Amino acid sequence: MASSPSASSPHRKLLRSLVYWAVQRCRMSESPCRLTVSVKRPAEAASASLLGVSVSDTGVGNKLEEFLELRVLARETPVEKWDGTLLITTTGINDEAIYRYRLNLQEEISSARFTKLATTYKNHATFSGTEVCLCLSNEADADDFILWLVGFFHKILILRAPNLACELFVEQIGNAESRNVCLPQDSEDMHHSVMASSSDRLVSGLKDYTLSHGNTCDKCDTCILNRDLLKIGTGAANNVDRRKAKGLHVEVVIVIARTASDLSCWTVNSSSTQVLYFEDFVPCPISQSSFDVLVSTDWRSYGFKLKGGFIDDEGNAVLEWDDMAFARVDIAIHTYLECAMQEGQGSQQDRHLVRKALKSALSHLKADHAGDFLSCHGQRVREYVPDLAESIAGLILSSNDKEFQDECITLLGLGSDQEGLVQSSICEKMVHIIELNDTKENVDDNAPYLFECEKLDEEDGDEDMVFDF
Amino acid sequence: MAGREKRRGAAPLEGDEHRLRRRQEEAALLLRRIRGLVRWVVEEVAVGRSPSIVLHRYRNYCSAADAASPSPCACSYDAPVGTDVLSLLHKDCHTSRLNVLLRVLLVVQQLLQQNKHCSKRDIYYMYPSIFVEVAVVDRAINDICILFKCSRHNLNVVPVVKGLVMGWIRFVEGEKKVYCITNVNAAFSVPVSIEAIKDVVSVAHYILVVEKETVFQRLANDKFCERNRCIVITGRGYPDIPTRRFLRYLVEQLHLPAYCLVDSDPYGFDILATYKFGSLQLAYDANLLRVPDIRWLGVFTSDLEDFCFPDCCLLHLSPEDRRKAEGILARCYLHKEAPEWRSELEAMLQKGVKFEIEALSASSISFLSDRYIPQKIKQGRHL
């Protein structure tokens, strides 16, 4: 898991780590699993009352060594925010019992760190899973923490990870008016299927994310109806074919919502994009190498004018657009190892694959919607087309040579009674040429047949038009 | 022979009917070429290819020459030195150039078909949003000339004339009689187009080209032409196309020597060079506009010593003058065609001084017309 450059609170880092390992355990089980995060919050904020947090999963049993990686985080966290204690309940599929431990990560002496608690036998029942419980301080920023947790969970749901059901419960206790927040995993996507590829699942999830305006609202009736109007670009890259590779996959999905006329509920276009970055099926702060790829990509070739980019306090990459032609651009990058709990590949490898997948997604977007994603150069050239078409049509139609006029009209595939369509026909054809050749590769392939006046001379057999006086 | 003057007629001159037919043929040929281009553009667009038009790039000089070792260059009055390709696919500045070219061509086609003429400023105001500025139209006219291997006057785009002429000459410009000879001290406008000139008659012995209108008026005031059988022309600074074409026409038709009088400063020299070598902007047509045999009559810094003028007439070269002079010195044509001119300019730069033609009036108001010009021509003191 990438180290976060963010200023996010220790609570958030801790939860992200616990969820990360829970998800990996679920992935390892290779059978349908459940991930549940539950927060029990006292009704009133007080130093004495604590947030009870539990992260449980039905994945493979836990190896306690995993939690030792949290020692660094425990040392960074003031004791008053978290005392470093985790209560771990775990059992493997082949275990006969459910084991319980108390782990104190603040403890310097390793032998004193683990305390084994009472064991419960499973009576030949076959199941596996882990629950980690901890208590966090219930301070004034607890509201922010819970809001963040809801957002974090929403992001997990975007991935639609196969074989993983996710639930979040937030319960207010000690109050007659107890309030529960529950996040179910549902979608308006009718095409969503358990058999879909992870890339298709990400597309589906990101579409929902876009249509809920970046999870700022539950559902927007106007936008749900426009689901099919969204423009999608997907790209994937992996190194599974390489001999020494450990099977790193990168998937990139871009979802574009057009201007407000397409989606009438958005009156103001968004000029920036918070890039959703996932590692191994968990939302993570973006890696520096991936961020570098984002800001160094030649966006202009795809019609995007990138003004700049930065990594925000939460470790999210934010791209700022100049003169944005779209209402909303959402981008998700998912890098994951084929098998959970493997060693990473190194940033150089990541950078290469992320660049490849991003370029592929942008090319896909452009291939499907050539007119919308013309390069900045193509856009500038396209602006000349109406004038060019008007000039050429004018040269044809104002000529006093009827035979020439008829010839040109025929060349354009028009009938003799369709003089009025000459300009629009030239216009359409020119736009098509520009769209078709809007990549450097295409331009290079399309070796031009050049017009030179000498060719006319050969045809005419005329003298040169330079005169002596 | 005393009492008899040799009359020089511009021969061989065409009759009106022949001239008209020839112009109609030129227009028809150009229209045919325009249709050829348009047909080709339509063919390309119809098959899904970008029309890509080759435009030759002409250069009559470069600034790569070095005093010590003038390197050979590709500059030529006849042959292109490179090409630009105007299309939809490469540089958008070239697409913009193609756009303007086709729009100006639309106007030119209409002018030729209707046998009408207009100025580049007229064209600019027809589509100001496309052209943005007159200079853009100007460039498109050049592009069209290069593309169709013709000159500006073939396009029926007429310039605004600023040149003046006086002296021993008479001619008819279209329907207008320009009889300078009846009052040799009066200024007449240079004709717009030499194609309209006929019945040229002159008894002049030489043509004097002066840089400035003030000098032209000085000569008129001094009745210079009354006392000297000559034709005096001024382009009023940098000469326009009609002035250069008219001068070239007179030199060729009348077989007269031409002398040029400019200020002794880098700008005067540049104007002189424009007459002799042509401008870079119209490099494609320089061979038809330049007067290769024009002589540099003055003024030279050495004239001050020769004619005993006080040093107070001299001005120091400014840094900008120096930069300009150094730029001109690097031009290849000076090395190749006029090394003595180059030496004189180099001497000016070394001395670090300049002076204007008007400084010759320091001792006597009519010194220029009474002594300076006649003496220099008589003694052959020119370069």
Side-chain angles (χ1 to χ4, degrees):
Chain A
M1 192 171 172
S3 60
S4 167
S6 76
S8 88
S9 74
H11 288 183
R12 298 179 191 187
K13 287 182 183 176
L14 186 59
L15 250 292
R16 188 184 286 126
S17 294
L18 293 175
V19 168
Y20 178 83
W21 293 116
V23 169
Q24 304 319 307
R25 287 192 292 272
C26 292
R27 289 180 66 206
M28 286 178 76
S29 87
E30 296 178 350
S31 55
C33 292
R34 175 178 296 274
L35 166 72
T36 305
V37 175
S38 165
V39 179
K40 290 183 178 170
R41 184 188 184 185
E44 291 176 11
S47 58
S49 57
L50 297 169
L51 280 179
V53 179
S54 113
V55 178
S56 56
D57 65 87
T58 59
V60 296
N62 167 253
K63 290 177 188 166
L64 295 176
E65 291 78 17
E66 287 166 16
F67 295 106
L68 294 177
E69 292 196 11
L70 295 175
R71 270 184 303 174
V72 177
L73 186 57
R75 276 200 290 272
E76 286 175 3
T77 310
V79 178
E80 60 273 19
K81 285 187 176 286
W82 177 45
D83 63 2
T85 301
L86 298 176
L87 286 173
I88 301 161
T89 306
T90 185
T91 181
I93 195 84
N94 297 320
D95 290 343
E96 293 179 352
I98 300 168
Y99 304 102
R100 292 192 176 82
Y101 306 91
R102 180 192 303 275
L103 174 61
N104 185 355
L105 292 168
Q106 299 280 12
E107 178 58 60
E108 291 297 325
I109 304 162
S110 59
S111 58
R113 219 171 271 149
F114 282 103
T115 308
K116 193 168 183 183
L117 304 175
T119 300
T120 307
Y121 287 90
K122 288 157 75 174
N123 296 327
H124 306 293
T126 308
F127 63 88
S128 66
T130 303
E131 180 180 32
V132 183
C133 297
L134 65 159
C135 292
L136 302 171
S137 61
N138 182 26
E139 291 175 346
D141 61 356
D143 283 342
D144 289 341
F145 171 68
I146 289 168
L147 274 175
W148 170 82
L149 190 59
V150 171
F152 179 69
F153 241 75
H154 268 299
K155 287 182 182 174
I156 294 177
L157 299 180
I158 289 170
L159 282 177
R160 307 263 154 84
N163 288 340
L164 183 66
C166 302
E167 292 172 314
L168 170 65
F169 294 98
V170 179
E171 191 181 349
Q172 195 141 315
I173 54 173
N175 187 323
E177 294 176 11
S178 150
R179 188 161 56 106
N180 295 329
V181 175
C182 178
L183 272 187
Q185 191 166 357
D186 64 351
S187 168
E188 298 296 328
D189 188 358
M190 303 307 286
H191 308 296
H192 182 44
S193 152
V194 288
M195 298 303 288
S197 69
S198 63
S199 179
D200 289 343
R201 289 165 168 275
L202 179 54
V203 168
S204 171
L206 193 60
K207 274 182 171 180
D208 281 342
Y209 177 78
T210 298
L211 294 171
S212 66
H213 310 175
N215 289 341
T216 55
C217 65
D218 283 345
K219 194 185 281 185
C220 172
D221 292 338
T222 313
C223 298
I224 294 301
L225 295 174
N226 288 288
R227 187 180 186 88
D228 294 334
L229 293 179
L230 297 175
K231 294 176 172 61
I232 312 295
T234 60
N238 62 62
N239 61 6
V240 287
D241 293 332
R242 298 192 180 188
R243 207 148 38 114
K244 289 185 180 175
K246 302 264 180 91
L248 178 66
H249 292 254
V250 178
E251 290 164 357
V252 173
V253 176
I254 302 171
V255 175
I256 308 284
R258 292 288 295 165
T259 46
S261 57
D262 283 2
L263 297 164
S264 56
C265 74
W266 291 327
T267 51
V268 180
N269 292 355
S270 172
S271 60
S272 64
T273 295
Q274 189 193 82
V275 179
L276 301 170
Y277 188 79
F278 302 90
E279 274 183 16
D280 299 313
F281 294 84
V282 178
C284 287
I286 193 162
S287 66
Q288 187 61 46
S289 62
S290 297
F291 177 73
D292 292 344
V293 169
L294 281 170
V295 292
S296 64
T297 292
D298 180 18
W299 292 93
R300 298 179 74 84
S301 292
Y302 305 90
F304 295 84
K305 291 173 188 159
L306 182 69
K307 193 160 64 178
F310 61 91
I311 297 178
D312 69 13
D313 288 347
E314 289 293 327
N316 301 306
V318 178
L319 300 179
E320 294 178 304
W321 310 109
D322 204 4
D323 190 19
M324 194 58 180
F326 314 110
R328 186 181 176 91
V329 178
D330 283 305
I331 300 169
I333 301 173
H334 185 197
T335 69
Y336 61 96
L337 292 162
E338 200 157 278
C339 302
M341 306 287 195
Q342 277 185 332
E343 286 291 312
Q345 302 289 303
S347 63
Q348 202 58 32
Q349 188 66 255
D350 288 2
R351 187 194 307 263
H352 169 70
L353 292 179
V354 170
R355 188 180 296 283
K356 196 172 162 187
L358 179 61
K359 204 173 166 189
S360 170
L362 285 166
S363 299
H364 176 202
L365 200 57
K366 189 163 173 166
D368 283 0
H369 309 279
D372 293 326
F373 300 99
L374 270 186
S375 66
C376 294
H377 165 260
Q379 287 176 32
R380 284 195 298 274
V381 170
R382 189 172 54 182
E383 286 172 12
Y384 292 116
V385 167
D387 286 339
L388 280 164
E390 191 182 336
S391 299
I392 298 166
L395 280 158
I396 296 169
L397 300 175
S398 71
S399 171
N400 53 13
D401 184 335
K402 185 75 174 70
E403 196 181 330
F404 161 73
Q405 283 185 351
D406 292 344
E407 197 181 346
C408 290
I409 290 169
T410 308
L411 281 169
L412 290 169
L414 300 172
S416 55
D417 57 342
Q418 292 181 300
E419 277 186 8
L421 298 179
V422 169
Q423 187 174 328
S424 58
S425 170
I426 294 170
C427 206
E428 276 171 27
K429 287 178 165 61
M430 279 190 158
V431 167
H432 183 64
I433 291 167
I434 292 165
E435 289 174 358
L436 207 63
N437 292 284
D438 191 45
T439 63
K440 193 177 179 305
E441 294 77 23
N442 286 351
V443 170
D444 291 343
D445 290 347
N446 190 343
Y449 170 65
L450 304 173
F451 176 86
E452 292 184 79
C453 202
E454 284 81 352
K455 288 173 182 154
L456 285 181
D457 291 340
E458 286 163 17
E459 288 166 18
D460 294 349
D462 291 321
E463 290 176 13
D464 205 320
M465 268 193 71
V466 180
F467 308 104
D468 293 324
F469 294 99
Chain B
M1 281 186 288
R4 289 183 63 186
E5 292 295 341
K6 186 180 171 190
R7 285 167 61 113
R8 292 167 195 269
L13 287 176
E14 301 168 311
D16 284 355
E17 198 178 313
H18 183 247
R19 186 194 302 261
L20 180 66
R21 197 168 62 244
R22 183 180 168 116
R23 293 194 62 186
Q24 284 172 343
E25 283 169 6
E26 290 166 12
L29 175 58
L30 194 50
L31 281 168
R32 199 153 66 242
R33 287 186 168 177
I34 293 171
R35 288 196 296 272
L37 170 70
V38 175
R39 185 186 294 110
W40 178 83
V41 167
V42 172
E43 276 171 4
E44 289 292 283
V45 170
V47 296
R49 273 199 304 250
S50 164
S52 302
I53 294 174
V54 172
L55 274 187
H56 292 307
R57 210 182 305 127
Y58 287 84
R59 193 177 66 200
N60 56 341
Y61 70 85
C62 63
S63 299
D66 181 85
S69 57
S71 54
C73 61
C75 299
S76 163
Y77 293 108
D78 307 308
V81 293
T83 53
D84 289 327
V85 176
L86 310 190
S87 83
L88 301 178
L89 304 183
H90 299 94
K91 294 180 184 171
D92 44 324
C93 63
H94 282 176
T95 312
S96 161
R97 207 167 141 192
L98 178 65
N99 185 32
V100 175
L101 185 153
L102 288 172
R103 190 52 65 102
V104 173
L105 201 60
L106 174 61
V107 177
V108 167
Q109 178 175 270
Q110 287 162 353
L111 291 175
L112 291 171
Q113 285 183 166
Q114 295 164 22
N115 193 26
K116 287 185 177 170
H117 296 76
C118 74
S119 70
K120 63 187 177 189
R121 191 162 283 276
D122 290 332
I123 297 177
Y124 165 75
Y125 280 111
M126 290 178 197
Y127 305 103
S129 62
I130 291 179
F131 299 140
V132 183
E133 57 180 336
V134 179
V136 172
V137 177
D138 207 37
R139 184 177 189 180
I141 292 169
N142 286 344
D143 285 348
I144 292 170
C145 289
I146 291 170
L147 184 63
F148 293 115
K149 296 182 187 307
C150 63
S151 298
R152 287 180 162 232
H153 62 271
N154 296 121
L155 307 181
N156 285 9
V157 180
V158 291
V160 177
V161 179
K162 63 171 187 163
L164 299 173
V165 59
M166 67 177 172
W168 296 89
I169 186 172
R170 73 167 202 211
F171 57 90
V172 176
E173 183 190 1
E175 302 299 315
K176 187 176 74 176
K177 289 178 180 173
V178 185
Y179 282 15
C180 307
I181 210 161
T182 56
N183 179 3
V184 293
N185 302 314
F188 291 80
S189 269
V190 158
V192 175
S193 167
I194 58 170
E195 286 71 34
I197 298 177
K198 57 185 180 183
D199 301 339
V200 183
V201 176
S202 172
V203 291
H205 295 157
Y206 61 89
I207 300 167
L208 177 65
V209 180
V210 296
E211 175 192 344
K212 297 161 153 179
E213 189 181 3
T214 51
V215 176
F216 185 90
Q217 296 300 350
R218 169 85 268 128
L219 297 177
N221 200 238
D222 290 346
K223 300 186 175 9
F224 179 79
C225 289
E226 241 176 62
R227 290 177 284 133
N228 299 276
R229 285 293 172 90
C230 67
I231 300 163
V232 182
I233 292 174
T234 180
R236 297 205 270 185
Y238 282 92
D240 56 15
I241 296 173
T243 307
R244 288 157 63 191
R245 290 191 78 210
F246 183 58
L247 174 64
R248 162 97 179 212
Y249 176 84
L250 293 184
V251 168
E252 287 191 341
Q253 295 294 326
L254 302 175
H255 306 290
L256 292 175
Y259 304 100
C260 190
L261 185 64
V262 293
D263 283 344
S264 176
D265 65 24
Y267 292 91
F269 188 93
D270 198 26
I271 287 166
L272 173 72
T274 304
Y275 281 112
K276 184 177 174 77
F277 304 107
S279 65
L280 196 57
Q281 192 195 4
L282 296 171
Y284 66 90
D285 236 2
N287 224 9
L288 294 178
L289 294 172
R290 72 196 195 105
V291 181
D293 295 327
I294 196 166
R295 307 294 296 171
W296 184 10
L297 190 67
V299 289
F300 308 127
T301 43
S302 55
D303 288 338
L304 284 186
E305 292 165 20
D306 295 347
F307 291 94
C308 303
F309 277 90
D311 284 351
C312 64
C313 296
L314 292 171
L315 300 170
H316 289 287
L317 288 177
S318 68
E320 195 191 334
D321 289 333
R322 286 185 173 279
R323 276 195 298 277
K324 175 96 179 164
E326 282 160 5
I328 296 170
L329 278 173
R331 292 180 188 172
C332 61
Y333 54 41
L334 290 182
H335 280 282
K336 289 190 276 194
E337 297 178 55
E340 70 284 7
W341 284 21
R342 191 177 185 283
S343 302
E344 184 62 33
L345 180 63
E346 213 163 25
M348 182 204 298
L349 192 60
Q350 275 169 3
K351 287 178 189 166
V353 290
K354 61 182 179 180
F355 83 102
E356 295 185 278
I357 304 168
E358 290 90 331
L360 296 174
S361 304
S363 61
S364 156
I365 190 77
S366 298
F367 178 81
L368 180 71
S369 48
D370 289 349
R371 275 191 62 199
Y372 182 83
I373 298 171
Q375 201 170 324
K376 289 203 86 175
I377 289 176
K378 190 176 175 187
Q379 295 172 356
R381 286 163 62 189
H382 43 72
L383 295 174

